[in-house]
Amino acid sequence: MTRVVLADDQAIIRAGLTVLLQGGDGEPITVVGEASDGAQVVGLTRRTRPDVVLMDVRMPGVGGVAATRALRADPGCAGVAVLMLTTFDTDAEVLGAMRAAADAPVPPAPDPRLTRLSHRERQVLVAVAEGGDNAEVAREMKLSPDTVRTYVSRILAKVGASSRAQLVAIAHRSGLMDRRS
């Protein structure tokens, strides 16, 4: 049985997730607690020791990214998986969650779109996925910011992504960050 804590500032979202999780035919899932902000979820997780925390990125007070950092810093919560939930598709949200060491919900799988990229484009993608903005990537790779901007535009077009956040997700889901092309 998988034990889950739900963290979202909207009660209706928590209720919907509870119905979805507990109504499945697969492995039994039990919601052991709900929290409406990050401070609550940290305390609740410490008390209940769930297997998984489903954490909203944006909550009032302590947000999901800060709460994830707190959980990752707590040795007693080392075995708890944290899966981030968000309706936002911004670089800051995705990068914040990844930097806080949130867990991915699926194991890396090769993405055939990455075969369309040159070696240099893959290097730029890795630098972007590590959180670098154009100026930081340019300094790291000894390129001009305009050249990096051009590479990012080409990468977006080649993989059919519409944002840097999608590029970050593609890089991580495909295992590219593990291979460091």
Side-chain angles (χ1 to χ4, degrees), residues 119-133:
H119 180 70
R120 191 65 158 169
E121 288 167 337
R122 290 168 70 96
Q123 289 175 322
V124 170
L125 176 55
V126 167
V128 167
E130 288 175 337
D133 62 23

Side-chain angles (χ1 to χ4, degrees), residues 16-28:
L17 287 171
T18 298
V19 169
L20 287 172
L21 292 172
Q22 293 182 337
D25 294 332
E27 177 184 344

Side-chain angles (χ1 to χ4, degrees), residues 2-170:
T2 301
R3 298 166 33 88
V4 177
V5 164
L6 301 176
D8 194 292
D9 56 319
Q10 297 183 38
I12 191 78
I13 300 294
R14 295 192 312 268
L17 287 171
T18 298
V19 169
L20 287 172
L21 292 172
Q22 293 182 337
D25 294 332
E27 177 184 344
I29 297 175
T30 300
V31 176
V32 295
E34 297 182 15
S36 61
D37 69 42
Q40 289 177 351
V41 77
V42 171
L44 183 60
T45 301
R46 287 176 176 154
R47 284 191 310 279
T48 63
R49 302 285 191 234
D51 301 300
V52 178
V53 174
L54 292 180
M55 177 106 60
D56 187 14
V57 170
R58 288 190 184 176
M59 293 182 285
V62 177
V65 172
T68 300
R69 280 193 198 103
L71 292 174
R72 290 297 180 243
D74 185 339
C77 296
V80 177
V82 178
L83 302 179
M84 302 301 283
L85 303 173
T86 185
T87 58
F88 301 97
D89 187 22
T90 65
D91 292 350
E93 305 296 345
V94 173
L95 293 174
M98 290 180 176
R99 286 180 177 151
D103 296 289
V106 295
D111 190 320
R113 295 176 293 184
L114 295 180
T115 61
R116 301 175 190 151
L117 303 180
S118 70
H119 180 70
R120 191 65 158 169
E121 288 167 337
R122 290 168 70 96
Q123 289 175 322
V124 170
L125 176 55
V126 167
V128 167
E130 288 175 337
D133 62 23
N134 288 352
E136 292 167 332
V137 173
R139 275 192 303 280
E140 177 186 322
M141 298 184 73
K142 297 180 179 35
L143 300 169
S144 76
D146 287 338
T147 301
V148 172
R149 192 173 3 269
T150 299
Y151 272 119
V152 171
S153 293
R154 285 184 192 159
I155 295 166
L156 285 164
K158 284 184 174 183
V159 301
S162 61
S163 70
R164 289 172 76 101
Q166 286 181 343
L167 290 181
V168 170
I170 289 167

